[in-house]
Amino acid sequence: MRQNDEHETQALSHLGKAVTASLTIEEYDASVKKLLADKQLIARILKWTTSEFCDMDPEDIIPYIEEPAVSSVGVDPGLTNELVTGLPTESKVLKEGLVTYDVRFFVKNPKSDKVGEVRMIVDIEAQKKPNPGYQLVPRGILYCGRMLSEQIDRNVKHGNYDSLEKVYSIWIIFNCSQETSNTISSYEIQHRATYGECEDYERCDLLRVVTVRMPKRGGLMTAKNPPSDLHELLYDVFVEKRKPADKIKFLKEKYGLVMDSYKQEVNVMCNLGEGLIEVTREDDLDEFKRALALHRSGEMDKDVYREEGISEEVISMVFDE
């Protein structure tokens, strides 16, 4: 067998492992999203991230939450209406990429019975990388914009924009630095008088992006900021290492969470190694595929791989070093 063929066989073996790992990551991500869709967790997240529920007990919030949908709602305008309302969909915007919400649901507003303010739309996102190559807040604003614009056919009839429902995009961001961990930040539209005085300002609080920044494993109590009750809860559910049965028991004893129906999801989360989660994301797999394509073309100059943005680790895998 020629040397190139041997290298390619070895590289393909690496690729096979990477594909298998990526499938495992998909299972992990699905488990995280299913747990985030549990109303017990949603109620506690809403208490700490929304002004409408901040003074309520989690048990009292649960009845206001409608059934969440998990990872099946497209941000593309042609796909968003169907899951929320059951109505036929029609894409009206060309050349826009499809993005999916992790967990999305309607929630009734406990503080208002006015038209357009009776209920809100909430999107909850789980983000493993705090710095994925772009800032997360603009992405959250985009998600909010899509959730507003999809209401045109559903709520805004005859130009009645007062019927627009408020939208939230809440981001649970893991693996944050010690300086930014244990924080909750809100980004929203607010009235500000730039000339003169006017108390009769119009409703503008229609969208809000909230970031909940979580520490890495072992960093809950050593971060610059002390953890809130929400940070402690999310850390114990998603970050802290425990045996599956012990975690279910611990969450019930400490927080009163009944997680017995999520044994499979807890098992997946507890049994997958943290390193596996970090290095086998979809973008890592794409990088490996690009490197393999270069190798198949006969390219043996490693500087070419580097110029293409391929990491030293992947280069070593392809060249079997």
Side-chain angles (χ1 to χ4, degrees), residues 139-257:
R139 181 177 170 187
I141 293 173
L142 170 66
Y143 281 28
C144 287
R146 287 287 180 88
M147 289 188 285
L148 284 173
S149 67
E150 75 188 32
Q151 298 180 48
I152 291 176
D153 293 332
R154 187 175 73 244
N155 294 334
V156 181
K157 298 179 180 179
H158 310 294
N160 181 18
Y161 291 93
D162 290 338
S163 61
L164 281 171
E165 297 165 334
K166 182 176 180 179
V167 300
Y168 275 92
S169 186
I170 302 169
W171 291 71
I172 314 298
I173 307 172
F174 296 94
N175 298 302
C176 293
S177 67
Q178 291 285 77
E179 290 73 24
T180 61
S181 294
N182 295 341
T183 60
I184 301 175
S185 301
S186 181
Y187 305 81
E188 56 200 282
I189 298 177
Q190 293 182 336
H191 166 263
R192 180 172 65 89
T194 56
Y195 181 79
E197 297 181 2
C198 178
E199 296 182 358
D200 186 23
Y201 62 89
E202 298 183 3
R203 178 184 175 215
C204 64
D205 185 21
L206 282 172
L207 66 86
R208 187 177 299 184
V209 178
V210 183
T211 59
V212 181
R213 296 188 177 273
M214 299 295 302
K216 298 178 181 178
R217 182 173 294 160
L220 182 68
M221 304 308 296
T222 59
K224 177 181 177 181
N225 304 285
S228 68
D229 291 345
L230 178 61
H231 288 99
E232 287 194 29
L233 168 65
L234 295 175
Y235 186 89
D236 286 332
V237 173
F238 297 107
V239 182
E240 184 68 12
K241 191 75 172 179
R242 285 189 175 90
K243 293 181 180 179
D246 293 341
K247 173 165 286 199
I248 291 174
K249 180 181 179 181
F250 176 83
L251 294 175
K252 185 174 183 179
E253 291 177 349
K254 184 174 180 179
Y255 301 103
L257 297 179

Side-chain angles (χ1 to χ4, degrees), residues 21 72 98 100 105 167 213 218 230-231 248 258 263 307 315:
S72 57
L98 173 64
T100 56
F105 53 93
V167 300
R213 296 188 177 273
L230 178 61
H231 288 99
I248 291 174
V258 180
K263 289 181 179 179
E307 291 172 359
I315 293 174

Side-chain angles (χ1 to χ4, degrees), residues 261-294:
S261 59
Y262 296 100
K263 289 181 179 179
Q264 179 178 349
E265 288 72 27
V266 173
N267 275 327
V268 169
M269 291 177 50
C270 292
N271 291 330
L272 282 179
E274 188 69 15
L276 180 66
I277 306 302
E278 291 287 355
V279 301
T280 55
R281 303 296 302 178
E282 183 177 352
D283 51 355
D284 300 322
L285 184 59
D286 289 341
E287 180 184 346
F288 190 92
K289 289 179 178 178
R290 288 190 292 111
L292 184 58
L294 279 175

Side-chain angles (χ1 to χ4, degrees), residues 73-90 92-93 96 99 101 104-106 119-123 142-156 163-167:
V73 188
V75 178
D76 179 80
L79 299 178
T80 46
N81 289 337
E82 187 171 10
L83 190 138
V84 177
T85 66
L87 298 174
T89 63
E90 181 179 357
K92 297 181 180 179
V93 181
E96 290 197 10
V99 186
Y101 301 105
R104 192 169 74 147
F105 53 93
F106 281 122
R119 66 179 184 178
M120 304 176 293
I121 306 171
V122 179
D123 156 50
L142 170 66
Y143 281 28
C144 287
R146 287 287 180 88
M147 289 188 285
L148 284 173
S149 67
E150 75 188 32
Q151 298 180 48
I152 291 176
D153 293 332
R154 187 175 73 244
N155 294 334
V156 181
S163 61
L164 281 171
E165 297 165 334
K166 182 176 180 179
V167 300

